[in-house]
Amino acid sequence: MAALGLCSACGGPQSSLRPAGIEAARVAELFWWMTAVGLLIWALVIGLALYVTRLRPAEHNVRASRWLIIGGGAVFPTLVLGALLTYSLSLMSELRPAGGEPAARIEVAGEQWWWRVRYLPANGEAVELANEIRLPVGERALFRLSSPDVIHSFWIPALGGKLDMIPGRVNELILEPTETGVYRGACAEYCGTSHALMNFQVVVMEPQAYAAWLTHQAAPASPPRSTVAERGQRAFLANGCGACHAIRGTPADGRVGPDLTHVGSRLGLGADVLPNTPEDFVRWIGHTDRVKPNVKMPAFGMLPEDELAALATYLSELE
Ligand code: CUA
């Protein structure tokens, strides 16, 4: 039963045991080898222990025992651990950012407690997004990882291993997804109160769909489509939201918080702690501190309800 319970955690969009990328497949392969050899040795040791205590509890030959200690206690572990070490080291080279030009170059900065994501297209200007990553399937993506505040760790279990994001330096990570789908990433290093609320979704798409998505994300926001959304835009600008957030194509050009130009197109809100619906926008803007303790964005619960609703409509429509 316990094993069954454990296995239920092996699937899902955030599992390194259900790999959807070349690097994650290597990591899973190593895990299963280590587990299998570990189990085999465990069975061997338990078998020997049962043999000498239950089956043949008589006195044993001293010479044979000495050879068993040297062989089983020194030679055997050296050989097994040496083989596993050589094997795991041989996998490392495949996880390094070598080889040809990657199809996507993405800078990701871990910040308390969200992700600043900048796409650097080969031709054209950088596009700043937040809290969501999309990748083309079957192509190598190069991540340049950093942090402006404390140490975070970038981890998409289904696509590859984790890598620390360290203030003052840039760490590079290559990931090559092999299956389209939606996966989940998380911060894997304790980074303050809301460390556990620092997640993101990863959408692996066909290359054409990916290119269309990136072109759309690079475009400025479309103007409000309804009078409610127009009212929301006025509220956004009047309440100073633009001091921290940018919405390209409007006077809002803040750099402190996440870019919101196409926030309505994302799969989650607040670094994937809430679903992306107008109701959740109201909840987030009105009670940021309750949704994500100690978050830097102040709560705007003092705004009249209809103004909050208008803001939510405006932001939801920024697709
Ligand atoms: Cu960022 Cu934990």
Side-chain angles (χ1 to χ4, degrees), residues 201-257:
Q201 304 236 24
V202 183
V203 185
V204 177
M205 317 168 85
E206 292 297 338
Q208 271 180 336
Y210 164 79
W213 169 83
L214 190 56
T215 306
H216 176 71
Q217 295 288 322
S222 38
R225 292 198 298 262
S226 61
T227 46
V228 180
E230 245 169 54
R231 190 170 165 221
Q233 189 185 45
R234 280 199 302 277
F236 188 89
L237 298 171
N239 285 292
C241 307
C244 293
H245 296 285
I247 297 181
R248 286 175 263 128
T250 76
D253 60 356
R255 309 272 309 128
V256 181

Side-chain angles (χ1 to χ4, degrees), residues 155-172:
W155 193 24
I156 310 170
L159 299 189
K162 63 183 87 156
L163 192 60
D164 276 2
M165 313 172 98
I166 301 167
R169 60 170 292 154
V170 174
N171 282 339
E172 293 195 334

Side-chain angles (χ1 to χ4, degrees), residues 111 113 115 151-153 187-192 195-196 198:
E111 307 200 11
W113 291 278
W115 310 86
I151 300 178
H152 303 268
S153 181
C187 179
E189 175 82 34
Y190 181 73
C191 54
H195 150 72
M198 184 173 171

Side-chain angles (χ1 to χ4, degrees), residues 61-149:
N61 180 315
V62 177
R63 252 180 82 117
S65 304
R66 193 171 292 148
W67 276 115
L68 184 70
I69 290 169
I70 294 172
V75 179
F76 181 70
T78 306
L79 287 178
V80 171
L81 293 179
L84 283 176
L85 180 70
T86 311
Y87 167 59
S88 60
L89 288 179
S90 76
L91 293 181
M92 264 173 83
S93 61
E94 297 179 40
L95 304 178
R96 286 294 166 89
E101 193 60 15
R105 283 173 178 275
I106 307 165
E107 286 178 354
V108 184
E111 307 200 11
Q112 285 173 316
W113 291 278
W114 62 284
W115 310 86
R116 188 187 295 275
V117 181
R118 291 181 82 230
Y119 279 77
L120 309 171
N123 38 16
E125 274 181 46
V127 186
E128 180 159 324
L129 313 172
N131 297 332
E132 187 170 294
I133 288 171
R134 301 209 177 201
L135 299 172
V137 71
E139 308 263 21
R140 286 152 51 90
L142 171 69
F143 290 91
R144 293 172 54 81
L145 308 172
S146 64
S147 164
D149 44 43

